[in-house]
Amino acid sequence: MSVKLVAEVGVGTVAAGVSKAHADHIVIAGYEGGTGASPLSSIKHAGIPWEIGLAETQQVLVLNDLRSRVTLQADGQMKTGRDVVVGALLGAEEFGFATSALIASGCIMMRVCHLNTCPVGIATQDQRLRDRYTGRAEYVVNFMTFLAEDVRRHMAQLGFRRFDEMIGRADILDIREAVDHWKAQGLDFSLLLHRPEVPPTVDVRRMIDQDHGLGQALDHELIALSQRAIQHGHPVQIEMPIRNGNRTVGGMLSGEIARRHGEAGLPNDTIRIDLRGSAGQSFGAWLAHGVTLTLHGDANDYVGKGLSGGRLVVRPPDGSRIVAEENIIVGNVVLYGATAGEAYFRGVAGERFCVRNSGAIAVVEGVGDHGCEYMTGGVAVILGRTGRNFAAGMSGGIAYVLDEDGGFAGRCNMGMIELEAVESEEDVEQLASLLQHHADYTGSPVAERLLADWPAAQVRFLKVMPIDYKRVLQARRTVPLEMVG
């Protein structure tokens, strides 16, 4: 498991926590990097230099004898071999290069990555602009080759034969006298270059592999109970409890199905699993076609991550007294990177719902900030209030949003989308069908009320439509079939 942390005061304490939670890889990201779509305020004011964050993280992990179990990576506008060597001496084993590799590919840093107007054809879907792209893989290979040679030269000057010997050797770093400037007066680097005094048995770099307890994963039991379905395609019904220590439930089961049946998976509802309790992170991740997971309870973050054709249903426990549409039932970043399948949530989801969804269908009764961010396909139905910045970077797919308070437009990011009434016969049929499915699978009173008063309810929905996606769909309808493809 990899965790990315922004370089900031206290990042070492956070890194210690995620290390104890069995993270294998920690990225310390400095303030200088970032996507070209980042707001200027974030570029200017978020985070601190990676050197400071990395030094703090290394010191805290070494002091607590946690460094040996994790790999540290640093990134944030690294460009030269000297940057790599300094990072290694401060404690990093791995290094990320993004901006410099993009420059080698031809990027001219116009910072319009999110507007589909990249003039050199890198961050755009406009074919006219993509035709301008002149980059080649060899350019990046050359950059990395010369970068490695630069690292070797610095290592030779310092007297190191192997890269591992440099990691954590902050005592090798020398402080060069600054230029004669008043801003440089009084600078003290002693804390930055401090090496904790620890016994020789305490390692300062990754030395051991952690035991993630995969042998005790709930999926082993699910796989054993599903053999009739996996081997012979016979329907299977499973019921069992679940707790929040059960993470990525359904992932290993889906892997077994994929190994035997490929991407197509099994027929719908071949394996039906009813779970009761609170699910841990990544519930239903990569769920394969033919598997239906129904959770009577609630779930943590990343529900349905990479959903690959299965069906997810999350609903409150029978007899629950909570008002589902007013309470969180699944956490943040639900359906991240989903490619196919269905998900029905009787309750509210956290932030970044359906981020990078490219093909899944989802129904939920409210979402937090940044819903449908970077969505490229699929359908999302929101039967409640949304947070701010809805549809940021949404370039494909469709969202139907129930605009009860009339303020949805003000919470939308209108950069790439437009809002339409739900009027076409195709849209009306699709929305009504999804509401019926939601009511059937979750027993949602919200869906039932809307369906009971459908003509009046229909006009309260708004359709979120990406502008370029709409243009593509219109072009496909007008181009003769024999010319498509």
Side-chain angles (χ1 to χ4, degrees), residues 87-108:
L89 295 174
L90 289 175
E93 291 131 313
E94 296 182 358
F95 308 88
F97 297 86
T99 302
S100 51
L102 276 172
I103 296 297
S105 300
C107 171
I108 59 174

Side-chain angles (χ1 to χ4, degrees), residues 276-454:
R276 299 182 185 277
S278 294
Q281 289 222 356
S282 300
F283 175 74
W286 304 292
L287 197 65
H289 194 277
V291 183
T292 296
L293 282 183
T294 300
L295 172 63
H296 300 263
D298 54 22
N300 214 311
D301 298 340
Y302 286 99
V303 172
K305 175 174 63 178
L307 186 67
S308 301
R311 180 183 296 131
L312 283 174
V313 179
V314 183
R315 54 184 297 174
D318 296 337
S320 172
R321 300 172 66 178
I322 69 169
V323 181
E325 60 268 29
E326 298 177 2
N327 288 272
I328 298 286
I329 197 165
V330 289
N332 298 320
V333 204
V334 172
L335 297 173
Y336 174 82
T339 59
E342 305 170 79
Y344 302 92
F345 306 113
R346 181 181 165 189
V348 181
E351 296 184 359
R352 304 194 79 192
F353 180 80
C354 273
V355 58
R356 297 197 183 280
N357 174 33
S358 63
I361 295 171
V363 184
V364 68
E365 298 179 356
V367 298
D369 295 341
H370 318 297
C372 297
E373 186 178 24
Y374 299 129
M375 185 165 149
T376 61
V379 179
V381 179
I382 318 296
L383 306 180
R385 186 179 173 86
T386 69
R388 62 188 177 88
N389 201 37
F390 190 90
M394 182 179 175
S395 60
I398 297 171
Y400 300 103
V401 180
L402 182 63
D403 187 21
E404 293 278 29
D405 62 4
F408 173 64
R411 298 187 292 273
C412 253
N413 186 318
M414 303 296 293
M416 298 177 66
I417 57 100
E418 59 186 17
L419 302 180
E420 304 175 354
V422 179
E423 295 176 333
S424 73
E425 182 178 347
E426 179 183 356
D427 288 337
V428 172
E429 287 183 359
Q430 182 179 45
L431 179 55
S433 175
L434 291 176
L435 286 175
Q436 187 62 60
H437 288 326
H438 187 60
D440 293 340
Y441 292 128
T442 71
S444 168
V446 175
E448 290 172 353
R449 285 197 300 267
L450 292 169
L451 290 169
D453 189 25
W454 181 232

Side-chain angles (χ1 to χ4, degrees), residues 140-376:
V140 179
V141 172
N142 286 342
F143 167 70
M144 292 297 178
T145 301
F146 284 112
L147 181 74
E149 184 62 29
D150 193 19
V151 171
R152 293 189 186 98
R153 291 177 179 175
H154 283 289
M155 287 176 59
Q157 291 174 355
L158 294 172
F160 292 108
R161 297 178 65 88
R162 298 176 64 249
F163 193 85
D164 287 347
E165 297 172 3
M166 291 196 300
I167 297 171
R169 291 293 307 275
D171 57 304
I172 300 298
L173 285 167
D174 195 13
I175 303 171
R176 187 173 59 188
E177 291 187 10
V179 293
D180 185 16
H181 193 278
W182 63 270
K183 287 185 177 181
Q185 296 176 7
L187 291 177
D188 182 2
F189 293 95
S190 59
L191 294 178
L192 187 68
L193 304 181
H194 173 68
R195 290 191 75 196
E197 295 182 7
V198 293
T201 55
V202 175
D203 295 308
V204 297
R205 62 184 177 90
R206 173 74 176 268
M207 297 296 292
I208 62 175
D209 292 327
Q210 299 191 73
D211 178 11
H212 292 279
L214 293 180
Q216 290 76 48
L218 184 64
D219 270 51
H220 290 297
E221 190 172 351
L222 296 178
I223 291 169
L225 294 172
S226 301
Q227 283 304 307
R228 290 175 60 249
I230 297 173
Q231 299 292 339
H232 308 293
H234 297 158
V236 170
Q237 176 78 39
I238 301 170
E239 295 184 15
M240 63 175 56
I242 189 173
R243 60 184 182 84
N244 61 6
N246 300 129
R247 295 187 290 271
T248 323
V249 172
M252 296 172 71
L253 172 63
S254 297
E256 288 295 316
I257 294 171
R259 269 187 282 273
R260 187 169 183 86
H261 301 280
E263 184 180 351
L266 296 166
N268 282 336
D269 289 332
T270 302
I271 301 175
R272 300 184 64 176
I273 303 171
D274 285 348
L275 303 166
R276 299 182 185 277
S278 294
Q281 289 222 356
S282 300
F283 175 74
W286 304 292
L287 197 65
H289 194 277
V291 183
T292 296
L293 282 183
T294 300
L295 172 63
H296 300 263
D298 54 22
N300 214 311
D301 298 340
Y302 286 99
V303 172
K305 175 174 63 178
L307 186 67
S308 301
R311 180 183 296 131
L312 283 174
V313 179
V314 183
R315 54 184 297 174
D318 296 337
S320 172
R321 300 172 66 178
I322 69 169
V323 181
E325 60 268 29
E326 298 177 2
N327 288 272
I328 298 286
I329 197 165
V330 289
N332 298 320
V333 204
V334 172
L335 297 173
Y336 174 82
T339 59
E342 305 170 79
Y344 302 92
F345 306 113
R346 181 181 165 189
V348 181
E351 296 184 359
R352 304 194 79 192
F353 180 80
C354 273
V355 58
R356 297 197 183 280
N357 174 33
S358 63
I361 295 171
V363 184
V364 68
E365 298 179 356
V367 298
D369 295 341
H370 318 297
C372 297
E373 186 178 24
Y374 299 129
M375 185 165 149
T376 61

